[in-house]
Amino acid sequence: MSKLTKEQIDQFFIEQFESFEQQLNGEKSLPLHKTRKEAFDTYKQSGFPAPKDEEYKYTNIAKAFASHISSVETSDIELTKEDVQKHFISKLKAINLVFVNGELNTSLSDLKDLPGGLIIENINDAQTKYESDFASYFNKADMAGADNFFSLNTAFTNGGAFIKVEKSAIIEQPLACYFFSTSQKNDMISQPRNMIIAGENSQATVIENFITLGEHASFTNAVTEITLEQDAIFNYYKYQNESDKAIHVGATMVEQRGKSVFNAGSFSLRGMMLRNNLNIAIHKPHSETNMYGMYLLDGKSHVDNHSVVDHIAPDCESNELYKGVLDGKSKGVFNGKIFVRQAAQKTNAFQSNGNILLADTAEVDTKPQLEIWADDVKCSHGCTVGQLDADQLFYLKARGIDEKTAKSMLLKAFAADVITTVKVDALRELIEKNIEERI
Amino acid sequence: MLSIKNLHASIEGKEILKGINLEVKPGEVHAIMGPNGSGKSTLASVLAGREDYEVDKGEITFKGKDLLDLGADERAKEGVFLAFQYPIEIPGVTTTNFMKTALNKIREHRGLEPLDAVSFLTLMKEKMKLVEIDQSLLSRSLNEGFSGGEKKRNEIFQMAMLEPELSILDETDSGLDIDALRIVSNGVNKLKTPDNATIVVTHYQRLLDYIVPDYVHVLFEGKIVKTGGKELAKELEAKGYDWIKEEAGVAS
């Protein structure tokens, strides 16, 4: 297949949706399918986001898709436990959930003997089994930041995970979600859709890790919806050390419906083109939101972090800190939006993005954006782009530290205020190892 | 130990050092004095291996090895230490972690086992006393938020930890009040042995009341124009540098 036009991509997904509908059979009569169809209608109005869409100006997913995704077929590849386990984060004690091309694989996941207060279901079954939860928590299409990729994902909702942490449950072990694309024989498209409910006074941690297997390209359009109820504390980490043929768009849609604490960490190391949309709506006073991120790129990797924090309620605090280290011909994009609505008085919102370019062929585009309608708030934002400091490097070398170690020390120091926020030891150690290996 | 012959060095095409000759033997203290812009700090930087400077001519040997062949880190491992005029702040790297890494790199080079955490801490505590440095400083980021005096004391503390054979103190006295100057000088003197040597780069004679040199060299326009004993420093303090400039002008 030669390079597709936008019209051809739009037509491609129309056909995909038709064949998807056919395979659904009886499920078509269930309420989820009405949502799917409405979402697809919304999607069709403007179709696949193209660069003329301001939000995708610096990250041309349409072009990457058109140039690299061709021979799409359904995969007949069966993964074994060994196949998936070698990609698990080492030394991490976790409840492992394995998704293959977007669908929760029950035999490869730890679904037996779940701790009390934790429910994990296939999302298709949950729509009837947990009908009221589904009605209340699924499809956050009205949130700021919900775009056409979100609608496309909703339209193809199938086989993802419904995760519920019940009232006052504390889940000690993190839930590690591994999303595999089986691109061994042909290009793969997957659209994982998960929903997580952090019940009242509950605590849990989720790690998402995306892995493309094989030499062919993958296009992943993932959505994870997270809702926090009163007094919930929820930690969310996203780790991307993808194949050079991976195109990824992932939206994390977070609603802090009750007074709650949400912590996010996003770590991107490799991929052809990765776009992370982190959208957070804060509905109740005295909530706290922390967003940390690091991108450590080389080669031709392109990583775009877009975030929207919507301060709807007063007396809340949000902190955002993203740091980037870019080498080779890599490209980083950071776009952080903060909305402070008129009612959101006494908001404290801070945002910062720092970058170090290790090569003059690397590039970063950074754009903070604040829109404030309230008049009694504390907000700040800032961004920096620089290089490793030659004086610092010389100082370390003048004490007998070789160049490689010295650079690694300086980069770790630069990233320290992001890395130290990772509460899961095995994940933090993995990221530190990534930094050392990269130098 | 150190032998500099006809050293010419430049930065961005501008020649700063124009033929330096200097011999330093173990146990000796050499003072390099001179007016601003004479090339004192350049000489210190070239010895330590700063890459901004281009060595155009001449040679430097240290313990028989060609120093110019070695990178800054290799020179440090061989035993060259530069106490910076303006110590660099490195946020996010603690002094302790920095020192541990540096010390173990140097020990590795000397064929010694890395120090374990307990022996390292014991050594640190011992050396901290030497320059009366507070332990809380060492768990903070390197030089970040340190006062001028604390930074200079930290340099001498590092020197004490790494036990170099050749120490170059680049205007260690600048910005130090008299109390701090005594502490720093006292530290340097305690580290003196018959096997190591010190080059003290300074603009003023005062430091040399505390660190007494065997030789005083006057650097002017990139050349050593006069060499004498410690009394030369006193003469310079009393008469200023103008007579040196005149003498040098007459000679050339």
Side-chain angles (χ1 to χ4, degrees):
Chain A
M1 196 152 55
S2 61
K3 202 167 148 178
L4 300 172
T5 62
K6 177 175 151 48
E7 288 69 30
Q8 285 170 316
I9 297 175
D10 288 342
Q11 185 56 36
F12 170 81
F13 278 105
I14 288 170
E15 285 163 20
Q16 288 269 308
F17 191 67
E18 280 167 4
S19 63
F20 171 57
E21 277 194 304
Q22 276 167 19
Q23 74 176 57
L24 281 172
N25 298 323
E27 272 197 51
K28 272 190 280 195
S29 58
L30 296 172
L32 172 56
H33 195 60
K34 188 166 167 276
T35 311
R36 287 191 191 111
K37 282 201 287 198
E38 284 167 5
F40 199 67
D41 285 340
T42 306
Y43 166 79
K44 274 197 294 190
Q45 286 169 18
S46 57
F48 207 82
K52 67 179 177 191
D53 181 336
E54 180 67 24
E55 297 302 322
Y56 287 88
K57 195 172 153 190
Y58 296 104
T59 299
N60 195 342
I61 298 284
K63 187 180 168 195
F65 185 94
S67 314
H68 298 279
I69 303 293
S70 52
S71 61
V72 179
E73 285 167 45
T74 47
S75 169
D76 56 359
I77 289 164
E78 292 282 332
L79 296 178
T80 64
K81 282 222 168 207
E82 291 73 47
D83 291 336
V84 297
Q85 275 169 357
K86 64 181 172 207
H87 295 279
F88 285 6
I89 295 168
S90 72
K91 289 186 281 178
L92 176 67
K93 283 204 174 82
I95 300 159
N96 296 302
L97 301 182
V98 173
F99 299 79
V100 182
N101 301 320
E103 296 183 25
L104 179 65
N105 185 306
T106 43
S107 62
L108 297 174
S109 302
D110 302 335
L111 294 175
K112 284 181 197 131
D113 307 318
L114 291 177
L118 178 64
I119 296 164
I120 301 174
E121 279 285 343
N122 184 307
I123 206 165
N124 299 34
D125 301 332
Q127 65 173 315
T128 45
K129 218 167 160 181
Y130 298 94
E131 203 178 340
S132 66
D133 283 336
F134 210 82
S136 172
Y137 298 108
F138 182 70
N139 193 20
K140 302 181 187 303
D142 296 332
M143 272 182 66
D147 61 13
N148 246 11
F149 282 119
F150 174 84
S151 301
L152 183 66
N153 176 285
T154 306
F156 284 87
T157 302
N158 190 36
F162 167 95
I163 298 168
K164 184 176 182 184
V165 186
E166 292 188 295
K167 185 181 170 184
S168 296
I170 293 180
I171 311 304
E172 301 269 359
Q173 286 194 351
L175 271 82
C177 303
Y178 297 93
F179 297 91
F180 290 93
S181 277
T182 56
S183 299
Q184 291 96 329
K185 291 184 188 166
N186 47 263
D187 302 335
M188 284 305 301
I189 292 179
S190 60
Q191 305 205 54
R193 174 57 165 262
N194 298 319
M195 60 184 288
I196 303 169
I197 304 156
E200 186 183 337
N201 198 34
S202 70
Q203 294 180 25
T205 297
V206 164
I207 301 167
E208 293 187 333
N209 188 350
F210 293 85
I211 300 137
T212 297
L213 302 172
E215 292 302 307
H216 291 270
S218 67
F219 172 68
T220 304
N221 177 31
V223 171
T224 299
E225 296 186 310
I226 305 169
T227 312
L228 286 80
E229 290 294 357
Q230 186 75 9
D231 297 313
I233 300 175
F234 193 84
N235 304 312
Y236 169 82
Y237 299 103
K238 184 170 183 175
Y239 179 82
Q240 297 166 305
N241 195 1
E242 265 281 21
S243 107
D244 291 327
K245 297 271 183 68
I247 305 166
H248 174 104
V249 183
T252 307
M253 314 290 285
V254 182
E255 269 191 295
Q256 295 185 254
R257 280 197 195 170
K259 179 200 86 181
S260 53
V261 179
F262 179 74
N263 301 309
S266 175
F267 302 90
S268 308
L269 294 134
R270 190 181 297 258
M272 183 199 301
M273 188 175 278
L274 311 177
R275 165 65 176 259
N276 300 316
N277 295 315
L278 176 59
N279 301 315
I280 302 172
I282 308 167
H283 293 280
K284 282 288 171 352
H286 302 290
S287 290
E288 184 187 328
T289 309
N290 300 300
M291 294 151 282
Y292 294 97
M294 195 192 75
Y295 37 102
L296 177 65
L297 309 174
D298 62 2
K300 289 182 178 172
S301 290
H302 176 135
V303 171
D304 178 346
N305 282 295
H306 264 62
S307 63
V308 178
V309 182
D310 192 358
H311 281 274
I312 298 161
D315 300 306
C316 293
E317 180 161 329
S318 70
N319 293 295
E320 180 169 29
L321 175 64
Y322 273 68
K323 291 206 165 172
V325 176
L326 299 103
D327 201 354
K329 290 182 176 172
S330 65
K331 183 172 172 178
V333 180
F334 174 83
N335 185 303
K337 280 201 186 86
I338 299 175
F339 298 129
V340 182
R341 310 278 186 104
Q342 198 163 11
Q345 300 292 358
K346 305 278 181 194
T347 291
N348 287 335
F350 307 108
Q351 182 191 84
S352 168
N353 172 232
N355 297 280
I356 287 183
L357 301 179
L358 294 176
D360 51 13
T361 43
E363 183 185 330
V364 66
D365 296 294
T366 171
K367 185 178 173 191
Q369 233 174 310
L370 269 62
E371 292 184 26
I372 302 169
W373 291 282
D375 55 13
D376 183 14
V377 300
K378 268 188 242 165
C379 294
S380 70
H381 62 92
C383 54
T384 59
V385 180
Q387 291 160 327
L388 269 188
D389 189 302
D391 288 334
Q392 293 182 345
L393 206 54
F394 176 65
Y395 192 71
L396 295 178
K397 284 165 77 177
R399 296 296 177 258
I401 300 170
D402 58 277
E403 175 137 347
K404 211 175 136 186
T405 309
K407 279 186 175 173
S408 159
M409 280 173 83
L410 292 179
L411 290 181
K412 269 201 246 171
F414 170 72
D417 43 6
V418 170
I419 308 252
T420 50
T421 64
V422 179
K423 296 185 179 91
V424 180
D425 293 341
L427 181 62
R428 193 180 55 252
E429 284 161 19
L430 174 64
I431 296 161
E432 283 171 348
K433 199 173 123 225
N434 289 143
I435 297 181
E436 277 164 28
E437 284 172 357
R438 192 54 68 82
I439 302 306
Chain B
M1 176 189 271
L2 178 76
S3 169
I4 304 175
K5 285 189 182 129
N6 193 28
L7 180 69
H8 290 250
S10 57
I11 185 164
E12 289 164 1
K14 190 174 176 242
E15 192 177 35
I16 310 282
L17 301 182
K18 301 169 182 171
I20 303 272
N21 293 292
L22 183 66
E23 294 286 331
V24 178
K25 294 189 180 69
E28 292 179 349
V29 176
H30 289 247
I32 309 246
M33 299 186 71
N36 289 327
S38 59
K40 304 187 300 286
S41 283
T42 299
L43 178 60
S45 293
V46 169
L47 285 172
R50 199 176 187 115
E51 284 159 11
D52 306 347
Y53 294 94
E54 193 77 39
V55 173
D56 305 310
K57 221 197 278 183
E59 59 183 62
I60 308 176
T61 54
F62 178 64
K63 298 189 295 181
K65 284 186 185 164
D66 183 356
L67 202 67
L68 297 174
D69 253 7
L70 304 176
D73 56 321
E74 294 164 312
R75 295 180 196 197
K77 284 176 186 162
E78 287 295 333
V80 176
F81 181 93
L82 171 67
F84 281 60
Q85 183 179 2
Y86 303 110
I88 308 297
E89 297 187 5
I90 309 188
V93 175
T94 62
T95 304
T96 307
N97 181 30
F98 161 66
M99 240 356 359
K100 197 171 181 181
T101 309
L103 183 64
N104 282 334
K105 290 278 178 193
I106 287 175
R107 285 178 66 89
E108 189 187 339
H109 183 77
R110 292 175 186 163
L112 300 168
E113 290 289 311
L115 277 190
D116 61 68
V118 176
S119 332
F120 177 76
L121 281 175
T122 312
L123 183 69
M124 277 225 314
K125 278 186 184 158
E126 179 199 323
K127 302 295 185 185
M128 272 167 2
K129 281 189 204 136
L130 203 69
V131 284
E132 300 173 33
I133 205 166
D134 190 70
Q135 191 167 0
S136 68
L137 233 45
L138 302 181
S139 56
R140 280 165 47 190
S141 285
L142 189 53
N143 292 325
E144 194 184 31
F146 286 27
S147 70
E150 285 169 338
K151 283 180 183 172
K152 295 294 173 79
R153 273 189 274 170
N154 193 10
E155 292 294 292
I156 305 307
F157 161 71
Q158 291 172 32
M159 179 176 145
M161 289 293 289
L162 302 179
E163 299 179 333
E165 286 168 73
L166 175 68
S167 302
I168 305 150
L169 312 182
D170 187 8
E171 304 212 14
T172 296
D173 50 336
S174 74
L176 281 189
D177 64 32
I178 191 70
D179 292 330
L181 185 70
R182 283 192 193 114
I183 292 169
V184 164
S185 311
N186 189 33
V188 173
N189 288 331
K190 279 186 185 161
L191 294 171
K192 208 179 143 187
T193 73
D195 300 319
N196 61 24
T198 310
I199 296 175
V200 183
V201 174
T202 182
H203 186 73
Y204 300 104
Q205 178 268 339
R206 188 191 292 140
L207 177 66
L208 305 180
D209 285 341
Y210 298 95
I211 303 172
V212 181
D214 300 301
Y215 300 95
V216 174
H217 310 277
V218 182
L219 195 61
F220 178 64
E221 288 186 347
K223 280 182 186 169
I224 290 175
V225 294
K226 204 170 182 64
T227 294
K230 63 184 174 198
E231 64 291 342
L232 177 57
K234 290 233 163 37
E235 200 178 349
L236 286 167
E237 186 72 12
K239 290 159 69 179
Y241 285 106
D242 285 346
W243 63 281
I244 294 283
K245 293 179 188 174
E246 278 164 31
E247 261 186 33
V250 172
S252 66

